[in-house]
Amino acid sequence: MYVGARLIGLENIQEKVQGLGVFGPIVFILLKTSTIVFAPLSGGPLYIAAGPLFGFGRGLVYITAGDILGNSVAFFISRFFGRKIMSRLLSGSGMKTVDDLLFHVATMKGLIYARAAFIGFPEAVSYAAGLTEISFWRFIFVSEGIAILPRAILVFSGAILAQKAFTALAVITVGSLVAAFLGARFMKKIGSMIPSTLDKILR
Protein backbone atom coordinates (compact mmCIF):
# COMPACT_ATOMS: atom_id res chain seq x y z
CA MET A 1 0.00 0.00 0.00
CA TYR A 2 2.88 2.36 0.81
CA VAL A 3 4.50 1.73 -2.59
CA GLY A 4 1.17 2.16 -4.33
CA ALA A 5 0.51 5.46 -2.55
CA ARG A 6 3.93 6.70 -3.62
CA LEU A 7 3.54 5.63 -7.24
CA ILE A 8 -0.02 6.84 -7.73
CA GLY A 9 0.33 9.83 -5.43
CA LEU A 10 -1.54 10.02 -2.14
CA GLU A 11 -2.82 13.48 -3.02
CA ASN A 12 -4.45 12.10 -6.18
CA ILE A 13 -6.22 9.38 -4.21
CA GLN A 14 -7.42 11.89 -1.62
CA GLU A 15 -8.70 14.21 -4.34
CA LYS A 16 -10.69 11.35 -5.91
CA VAL A 17 -12.30 10.54 -2.57
CA GLN A 18 -12.99 14.20 -1.78
CA GLY A 19 -14.47 14.61 -5.27
CA LEU A 20 -17.24 12.20 -4.25
CA GLY A 21 -18.33 14.65 -1.58
CA VAL A 22 -20.62 13.17 1.06
CA PHE A 23 -20.77 9.94 -0.94
CA GLY A 24 -17.07 9.25 -0.32
CA PRO A 25 -17.49 8.37 3.36
CA ILE A 26 -20.78 6.56 2.64
CA VAL A 27 -19.16 4.37 -0.01
CA PHE A 28 -16.23 3.66 2.32
CA ILE A 29 -18.52 2.71 5.22
CA LEU A 30 -20.63 0.42 3.01
CA LEU A 31 -17.49 -1.16 1.59
CA LYS A 32 -16.24 -1.94 5.10
CA THR A 33 -19.68 -3.26 6.03
CA SER A 34 -19.65 -5.65 3.07
CA THR A 35 -16.33 -7.20 4.16
CA ILE A 36 -18.04 -8.46 7.33
CA VAL A 37 -21.38 -9.50 5.85
CA PHE A 38 -19.69 -11.30 2.95
CA ALA A 39 -16.98 -13.15 4.83
CA PRO A 40 -14.73 -14.11 1.88
CA LEU A 41 -14.01 -10.38 1.38
CA SER A 42 -11.04 -9.06 3.36
CA GLY A 43 -11.43 -5.76 5.18
CA GLY A 44 -7.89 -5.61 6.57
CA PRO A 45 -6.47 -3.12 4.04
CA LEU A 46 -9.32 -0.69 4.69
CA TYR A 47 -8.12 -0.10 8.26
CA ILE A 48 -4.80 1.13 6.89
CA ALA A 49 -6.45 3.05 4.04
CA ALA A 50 -8.82 4.99 6.31
CA GLY A 51 -6.02 7.13 7.77
CA PRO A 52 -4.47 8.43 4.51
CA LEU A 53 -7.87 8.96 2.89
CA PHE A 54 -9.68 10.78 5.70
CA GLY A 55 -7.19 11.52 8.46
CA PHE A 56 -7.02 9.72 11.79
CA GLY A 57 -10.15 11.16 13.42
CA ARG A 58 -12.58 10.85 10.54
CA GLY A 59 -10.98 7.62 9.35
CA LEU A 60 -11.51 6.03 12.75
CA VAL A 61 -15.14 7.19 12.83
CA TYR A 62 -15.88 5.84 9.34
CA ILE A 63 -14.14 2.49 9.86
CA THR A 64 -15.89 2.09 13.22
CA ALA A 65 -19.25 2.87 11.61
CA GLY A 66 -18.58 0.24 8.94
CA ASP A 67 -17.62 -2.36 11.55
CA ILE A 68 -20.65 -1.67 13.75
CA LEU A 69 -23.00 -1.79 10.78
CA GLY A 70 -21.39 -4.95 9.38
CA ASN A 71 -21.38 -6.79 12.70
CA SER A 72 -24.99 -5.76 13.33
CA VAL A 73 -26.16 -6.95 9.91
CA ALA A 74 -24.32 -10.27 10.32
CA PHE A 75 -25.79 -10.72 13.80
CA PHE A 76 -29.39 -10.14 12.66
CA ILE A 77 -29.01 -12.20 9.48
CA SER A 78 -27.97 -15.07 11.68
CA ARG A 79 -30.70 -14.46 14.26
CA PHE A 80 -33.62 -14.09 11.85
CA PHE A 81 -32.60 -16.28 8.91
CA GLY A 82 -30.26 -18.80 10.50
CA ARG A 83 -27.88 -21.18 8.85
CA LYS A 84 -29.57 -21.30 5.45
CA ILE A 85 -28.57 -17.75 4.54
CA MET A 86 -25.31 -17.90 6.50
CA SER A 87 -24.04 -20.79 4.39
CA ARG A 88 -24.27 -18.58 1.30
CA LEU A 89 -22.33 -15.74 2.89
CA LEU A 90 -19.65 -17.79 4.64
CA SER A 91 -17.13 -20.21 3.24
CA GLY A 92 -16.99 -23.82 4.43
CA SER A 93 -14.22 -23.05 6.89
CA GLY A 94 -16.20 -20.03 8.09
CA MET A 95 -19.20 -22.18 8.93
CA LYS A 96 -16.96 -24.58 10.82
CA THR A 97 -15.55 -21.68 12.84
CA VAL A 98 -19.08 -20.51 13.64
CA ASP A 99 -19.99 -23.98 14.88
CA ASP A 100 -16.85 -24.12 17.02
CA LEU A 101 -17.69 -20.75 18.58
CA LEU A 102 -21.33 -21.46 19.41
CA PHE A 103 -20.54 -23.06 22.77
CA HIS A 104 -18.69 -19.94 23.92
CA VAL A 105 -20.39 -16.81 22.61
CA ALA A 106 -23.65 -17.59 24.43
CA THR A 107 -22.13 -16.21 27.66
CA MET A 108 -20.52 -12.85 28.35
CA LYS A 109 -17.22 -14.41 29.40
CA GLY A 110 -17.13 -16.71 26.39
CA LEU A 111 -18.02 -13.84 24.04
CA ILE A 112 -15.14 -11.76 25.38
CA TYR A 113 -12.68 -14.61 24.89
CA ALA A 114 -13.98 -15.41 21.42
CA ARG A 115 -14.00 -11.79 20.24
CA ALA A 116 -10.45 -11.23 21.46
CA ALA A 117 -9.11 -14.50 20.04
CA PHE A 118 -10.80 -13.95 16.67
CA ILE A 119 -10.04 -10.23 16.43
CA GLY A 120 -9.20 -10.69 12.75
CA PHE A 121 -12.32 -12.72 11.99
CA PRO A 122 -15.17 -10.70 13.56
CA GLU A 123 -17.79 -11.97 11.13
CA ALA A 124 -17.52 -15.50 12.56
CA VAL A 125 -18.21 -14.20 16.06
CA SER A 126 -21.08 -12.00 14.82
CA TYR A 127 -22.77 -14.83 12.94
CA ALA A 128 -22.24 -17.23 15.85
CA ALA A 129 -23.63 -14.77 18.40
CA GLY A 130 -26.78 -14.34 16.31
CA LEU A 131 -27.53 -18.05 16.70
CA THR A 132 -27.50 -17.78 20.49
CA GLU A 133 -29.85 -16.05 22.93
CA ILE A 134 -27.34 -13.34 23.86
CA SER A 135 -28.78 -9.82 23.52
CA PHE A 136 -27.70 -7.64 20.63
CA TRP A 137 -26.65 -4.74 22.87
CA ARG A 138 -24.47 -6.95 25.02
CA PHE A 139 -22.89 -8.42 21.89
CA ILE A 140 -22.16 -5.05 20.26
CA PHE A 141 -20.83 -3.59 23.53
CA VAL A 142 -18.33 -6.41 23.96
CA SER A 143 -17.43 -6.49 20.28
CA GLU A 144 -16.68 -2.77 20.06
CA GLY A 145 -15.00 -2.59 23.45
CA ILE A 146 -12.41 -5.14 22.37
CA ALA A 147 -11.95 -3.91 18.81
CA ILE A 148 -11.55 -0.17 19.37
CA LEU A 149 -7.88 -0.17 20.42
CA PRO A 150 -6.43 -2.38 17.63
CA ARG A 151 -8.66 -0.54 15.15
CA ALA A 152 -7.30 2.83 16.29
CA ILE A 153 -3.71 1.56 16.05
CA LEU A 154 -4.23 0.41 12.46
CA VAL A 155 -5.93 3.65 11.36
CA PHE A 156 -3.21 5.70 13.06
CA SER A 157 -0.52 3.60 11.36
CA GLY A 158 -2.15 4.22 8.01
CA ALA A 159 -2.37 7.96 8.69
CA ILE A 160 1.39 8.22 9.17
CA LEU A 161 2.36 5.53 6.66
CA ALA A 162 2.91 7.85 3.71
CA GLN A 163 4.96 10.32 5.72
CA LYS A 164 6.75 8.08 8.21
CA ALA A 165 6.81 4.58 6.79
CA PHE A 166 9.32 3.17 9.29
CA THR A 167 7.35 4.44 12.31
CA ALA A 168 4.10 3.09 10.90
CA LEU A 169 5.58 -0.33 10.13
CA ALA A 170 7.08 -0.48 13.61
CA VAL A 171 3.70 0.28 15.19
CA ILE A 172 1.99 -2.36 13.04
CA THR A 173 4.67 -4.95 13.80
CA VAL A 174 4.59 -4.41 17.56
CA GLY A 175 0.81 -4.33 17.57
CA SER A 176 0.65 -7.56 15.57
CA LEU A 177 3.05 -9.32 17.93
CA VAL A 178 1.07 -8.22 20.98
CA ALA A 179 -2.19 -9.28 19.32
CA ALA A 180 -0.70 -12.67 18.40
CA PHE A 181 0.50 -13.23 21.96
CA LEU A 182 -2.84 -12.29 23.50
CA GLY A 183 -4.72 -14.26 20.85
CA ALA A 184 -2.67 -17.39 21.60
CA ARG A 185 -3.43 -17.08 25.30
CA PHE A 186 -7.15 -16.61 24.67
CA MET A 187 -7.20 -19.56 22.28
CA LYS A 188 -5.54 -21.72 24.92
CA LYS A 189 -8.17 -20.58 27.43
CA ILE A 190 -11.01 -21.36 25.01
CA GLY A 191 -9.49 -24.75 24.27
CA SER A 192 -9.46 -25.59 27.97
CA MET A 193 -13.13 -24.61 28.20
CA ILE A 194 -14.30 -27.02 25.49
CA PRO A 195 -14.08 -30.30 27.50
CA SER A 196 -15.97 -28.86 30.49
CA THR A 197 -18.64 -27.40 28.22
CA LEU A 198 -19.17 -30.71 26.43
CA ASP A 199 -19.34 -32.54 29.74
CA LYS A 200 -22.14 -30.25 30.93
CA ILE A 201 -24.06 -30.75 27.69
CA LEU A 202 -23.70 -34.56 27.80
CA ARG A 203 -24.86 -34.65 31.41
Side-chain angles (χ1 to χ4, degrees):
M1 182 177 177
Y2 172 75
V3 174
R6 285 298 188 185
L7 291 177
I8 300 173
L10 183 59
E11 294 79 9
N12 293 334
I13 300 175
Q14 290 172 332
E15 288 177 3
K16 294 290 185 183
V17 173
Q18 292 172 0
L20 295 174
V22 68
F23 294 105
I26 293 175
V27 169
F28 185 84
I29 290 171
L30 292 178
L31 182 61
K32 185 64 191 76
T33 299
S34 69
T35 65
I36 296 179
V37 177
F38 303 99
L41 300 178
S42 175
L46 295 179
Y47 292 100
I48 305 297
L53 293 179
F54 304 105
F56 173 71
R58 291 173 60 201
L60 182 59
V61 169
Y62 297 152
I63 205 77
T64 300
D67 277 347
I68 292 176
L69 184 58
N71 286 321
S72 301
V73 171
F75 179 91
F76 285 115
I77 285 176
S78 175
R79 174 143 298 182
F80 291 120
F81 299 103
R83 302 178 65 89
K84 184 176 180 180
I85 300 297
M86 285 172 53
S87 62
R88 299 180 181 181
L89 301 174
L90 290 168
S91 62
S93 59
M95 285 299 299
K96 183 179 184 303
T97 303
V98 168
D99 289 334
D100 292 340
L101 287 172
L102 280 176
F103 290 116
H104 309 292
V105 297
T107 65
M108 177 66 86
K109 184 177 180 180
L111 178 60
I112 292 173
Y113 282 135
R115 186 66 180 90
F118 289 86
I119 193 70
F121 196 13
E123 53 268 37
V125 181
S126 300
Y127 278 115
L131 293 176
T132 69
E133 295 183 358
I134 195 167
S135 72
F136 167 74
W137 294 111
R138 179 174 294 186
F139 155 74
I140 206 69
F141 175 79
V142 170
S143 182
E144 289 306 303
I146 291 175
I148 187 62
L149 180 58
R151 180 189 298 140
I153 292 174
L154 289 174
V155 174
F156 175 76
S157 299
I160 64 174
L161 184 59
Q163 290 77 27
K164 300 178 181 179
F166 178 79
T167 302
L169 293 175
V171 171
I172 294 173
T173 300
V174 172
S176 298
L177 290 174
V178 172
F181 173 75
L182 294 176
R185 295 199 62 177
F186 280 126
M187 287 296 289
K188 183 178 179 181
K189 180 69 176 180
I190 290 176
S192 66
M193 291 167 60
I194 292 176
S196 60
T197 303
L198 291 177
D199 286 343
K200 290 180 181 179
I201 292 175
L202 293 175
R203 289 175 185 175

